[in-house]
Amino acid sequence: MAVNEPDPRGPLRAIGRQLRAVLITAHIFAVFILAFPAPSGGMNRSAWSDPTVQAEFVSWSARLQAMGLESSPESLEETLWSWAQSYMQRRRDLLKPFMPYYRYCGTYQTWRMFIAPHRNPARLHIDIYEDGEWRPVYIARHPQHDWKGELLDHERMRSAIFRYAWKHYGRSYKHFGEWIAAEAAEEFPEATLIRLRYERFRTPTPEQVREENRPPSTFVHPRTFQLETFR
Amino acid sequence: MRAWRRWVALLDRREVGTTMALCRILIGAAALYTILNDVSIVTPVLLDVSEGGYRPLGEGPFLVRWLGGPSKELTFGLIAANIASSVALIAGVLPRVMALVCLQAHIAVADLNTQAGGSYDELLSNALWLMVFARSDTTLSLLCRLRTGRWTDRETLVPAWPRYLLMFQLLLVYTSTGTQKLSTHWLPGGDLGALYYILLQPSWSRFDMSWLAWVFPVTQAATLGTWLFEVFAPLLLIAMWGRSDRVKAGPLRRLLCRIEYRDLFAFFGVMMHLTIHAVMEVGPFSVISLAFYPALWHPDEWARMARVIGTASRRSAATSSPSRTPDRPAG
């Protein structure tokens, strides 16, 4: 092409540059609004009644009172609940046009990672009933009681097992228990029952650990299965 | 209008492909690591209850639905596609196509059981999506070797904007998670016990971390450091802007450049991810996060680093090998 001859692709190239900038801007906007802080996944009243969440209300209410703002934990919870509901509704409307982009292109942005330590975590215990007594076969992170440890300690299962300690995952917890029972029925032919339960405890403060005065734990969400039905 | 013109001009920038090639290799390696990690738990976790899985998977994610619903054959086929495309991405064989294949296979496999996943799945899919648009095979790839007879090519230029988007994505992750850390255990003014208590949670710890009670102040410092690092991550954008235009930079940009904020940020981030990987079981999250880090450096900076390392290794080889000059006879 001669030096002075206009580039026939010039206008197209200019449009292409503008279009690219528009699309990149749309991408940035789409991922930014989805990543913007929101209580997604936490809009569940039973999850809000968890002791860890309740402790946060108590703590924040005390903070606000120290700043001269009158607020009880209960009123703070109610205010936040109604605010969160309306915020989430507006957020849903805003995100709606971008949903296909998140779904098909893998651009979901849910970065709520360890936003608060779970002060009342739960540890999964699996026991079998054999020779007239209960015997532990799996306790999460226990070096000896590690039946199925390769699976249950895998990060994908940790994620699932963490969820099943919350009430609203009760159905999946039941499915998980049935699968575990079927496996145990084969591997422990003498056992008659299997029990899954979570040991819930308050994480000890540094002082409590140093003084060997850990808070007592309680067992929650027990589920027992007759192994005979799985044989 | 002026701001828009500057934005269009910024997205028009081109650079040598070294940085994008490094990102491609690391993102491909992270994808491979992620899928190989899942191979041992396919049957109980990623298959439907009718085929040995522990829970009903329903219709599955969109690709699985389009291909007839969850089945053993489809799941293993997707895993094979995931592995093959990750390897191709590392090698630099049709990287844009392979990134798309890897992305779709990854979404399909990871979303089969939505209760058994983590943020790392989304971080990886975001990285792969950006690699679909990146021209990352001009250097450090099989294509480069076939085209030029060498493994590296310092002449072919590629668009720089995918690198900017990788950087933006990394900062978005940190800022989003940091600004949502509203627990009194995280915030300055609270007890700064967040990391201590998180590391005591049996779900995520690799081993018993009760010994942290004796070094609680260290965990408090780490909590504050992590919170500050995440919440103030956007400062990196200002620092990078300052680096690109030092003459017009204001006092904040000049300060961030003077203290080499980008390098401090990267050092803290890398240390944080290595520590998380060592003490917590959160899957390949750290591995995937670190795959974004090469994007923080311009290809010219990578070339300078390679020269420095090359010179140092040549010097080290020269001093450790026996002298070529024959020893003088005694006397």
Side-chain angles (χ1 to χ4, degrees), chain A residues 46-103:
Chain A
S46 76
W48 284 42
S49 65
D50 184 87
T52 297
V53 183
Q54 287 296 315
E56 287 290 343
F57 287 128
V58 172
S59 180
W60 269 104
S61 158
R63 269 194 160 197
L64 292 173
Q65 281 173 17
M67 285 158 42
L69 296 165
E70 206 47 55
S71 169
S72 68
E74 294 77 23
S75 66
L76 179 64
E77 182 179 348
E78 280 313 311
T79 309
L80 281 177
W81 178 256
S82 62
W83 177 84
Q85 274 187 316
S86 109
Y87 173 74
M88 290 303 285
Q89 183 54 52
R90 281 177 200 170
R91 185 173 181 270
R92 265 193 296 275
D93 295 341
L94 188 62
L95 296 178
K96 203 173 174 185
F98 297 103
M99 288 316 281
Y101 184 60
Y102 304 135
R103 186 177 303 124

Side-chain angles (χ1 to χ4, degrees), chain B residues 6 36 51 91 114 156 169 175 179 213 248 258 260 287 298 306:
Chain B
R6 285 177 72 180
L36 290 181
E51 293 183 299
T114 50
T156 310
Q169 180 62 57
T175 314
T179 49
K248 290 182 187 165
R258 199 162 54 240
E260 294 294 348
V287 175
H298 188 277

Side-chain angles (χ1 to χ4, degrees), chain B residues 17-25 89-96 99 130-144 158-159 162:
Chain B
T18 315
T19 302
M20 286 319 296
L22 288 170
C23 288
R24 164 181 53 78
I25 293 166
L89 203 51
I90 296 169
V93 178
L94 301 174
R96 286 171 161 175
L130 295 178
M131 290 313 295
V132 171
F133 298 95
R135 206 176 150 204
S136 60
D137 57 359
T138 57
T139 185
L140 300 171
S141 68
L142 273 179
L143 181 86
C144 172
V158 301

Side-chain angles (χ1 to χ4, degrees), chain B residues 144-287:
Chain B
C144 172
R145 179 77 181 167
L146 290 172
R147 191 170 48 85
T148 65
R150 288 176 289 118
W151 285 106
T152 56
D153 173 2
R154 293 272 307 140
E155 280 154 24
T156 310
L157 300 181
V158 301
W161 61 265
R163 179 168 78 85
Y164 303 154
L165 288 185
L166 280 173
M167 229 187 307
F168 176 76
Q169 180 62 57
L170 185 68
L171 298 184
L172 191 65
V173 173
Y174 290 140
T175 314
S176 177
T177 191
T179 49
Q180 293 181 86
K181 286 185 162 83
L182 293 174
S183 162
T184 48
H185 295 298
W186 274 111
L187 295 177
D191 67 357
L192 295 177
L195 281 182
Y196 165 81
Y197 290 116
I198 286 167
L199 290 169
L200 256 56
Q201 278 181 237
S203 296
W204 315 117
S205 59
R206 275 197 196 274
F207 37 80
D208 181 29
M209 301 285 285
S210 301
W211 56 271
L212 289 175
W214 280 268
V215 289
F216 184 59
V218 177
T219 68
Q220 287 177 303
T223 300
L224 181 62
T226 305
W227 189 82
L228 291 171
F229 170 78
E230 291 182 345
V231 170
F232 292 103
L235 281 180
L236 185 66
L237 285 180
I238 301 171
M240 300 300 267
W241 181 25
R243 291 180 79 87
S244 69
D245 189 0
R246 286 178 194 242
V247 180
K248 290 182 187 165
L252 178 62
R253 280 192 281 163
R254 279 205 301 273
L255 173 72
L256 293 172
C257 286
R258 199 162 54 240
I259 63 171
E260 294 294 348
Y261 182 78
R262 191 261 321 259
D263 295 350
L264 291 174
F265 176 92
F267 179 76
F268 189 95
V270 170
M271 286 298 127
M272 181 181 78
H273 286 298
L274 292 179
T275 309
I276 289 172
H277 198 70
V279 301
M280 294 177 82
E281 182 54 270
V282 285
F285 185 78
S286 290
V287 175

Side-chain angles (χ1 to χ4, degrees), chain A residues 13-198:
Chain A
R13 194 170 280 177
I15 293 168
R17 290 171 67 223
Q18 297 291 330
L19 189 63
R20 180 179 62 193
V22 168
L23 291 174
I24 292 172
T25 309
H27 165 82
I28 290 173
F29 180 72
V31 296
F32 180 80
I33 55 170
L34 188 58
F36 202 77
S40 309
M43 290 307 290
N44 186 311
R45 223 56 217 257
S46 76
W48 284 42
S49 65
D50 184 87
T52 297
V53 183
Q54 287 296 315
E56 287 290 343
F57 287 128
V58 172
S59 180
W60 269 104
S61 158
R63 269 194 160 197
L64 292 173
Q65 281 173 17
M67 285 158 42
L69 296 165
E70 206 47 55
S71 169
S72 68
E74 294 77 23
S75 66
L76 179 64
E77 182 179 348
E78 280 313 311
T79 309
L80 281 177
W81 178 256
S82 62
W83 177 84
Q85 274 187 316
S86 109
Y87 173 74
M88 290 303 285
Q89 183 54 52
R90 281 177 200 170
R91 185 173 181 270
R92 265 193 296 275
D93 295 341
L94 188 62
L95 296 178
K96 203 173 174 185
F98 297 103
M99 288 316 281
Y101 184 60
Y102 304 135
R103 186 177 303 124
Y104 299 122
C105 304
T107 53
Y108 275 112
Q109 313 282 327
T110 49
W111 314 121
R112 280 167 283 279
M113 296 171 289
F114 299 106
I115 54 177
H118 195 346
R119 287 300 312 277
N120 296 277
R123 187 194 303 273
L124 178 68
H125 285 239
I126 303 175
D127 312 305
I128 55 166
Y129 194 73
E130 208 175 36
D131 299 329
E133 60 179 357
W134 286 105
R135 164 168 89 81
V137 289
Y138 176 81
I139 301 175
R141 312 297 89 72
H142 195 288
Q144 273 91 47
H145 304 304
D146 61 350
W147 175 67
K148 294 266 169 212
E150 198 185 325
L151 166 69
L152 301 179
D153 292 341
H154 189 280
E155 69 267 4
R156 290 208 182 270
M157 275 318 293
R158 285 186 190 222
S159 175
I161 290 168
F162 172 80
R163 285 180 166 92
Y164 302 156
W166 296 75
K167 270 183 205 159
H168 50 285
Y169 282 99
R171 210 166 144 199
S172 297
Y173 180 40
K174 181 174 167 282
H175 288 302
F176 171 63
E178 286 168 348
W179 187 86
I180 286 287
E183 293 287 305
E186 201 174 307
E187 292 192 35
F188 302 106
E190 303 301 316
T192 53
L193 299 168
I194 188 161
R195 178 176 67 191
L196 282 80
R197 55 185 182 156
Y198 281 93

Side-chain angles (χ1 to χ4, degrees), chain B residues 97-121:
Chain B
V97 177
M98 290 303 145
L100 187 61
V101 172
C102 192
L103 167 69
Q104 294 303 334
H106 170 72
I107 295 174
V109 171
D111 287 356
L112 276 168
N113 184 347
T114 50
Q115 294 175 1
S119 296
Y120 58 85
D121 287 322

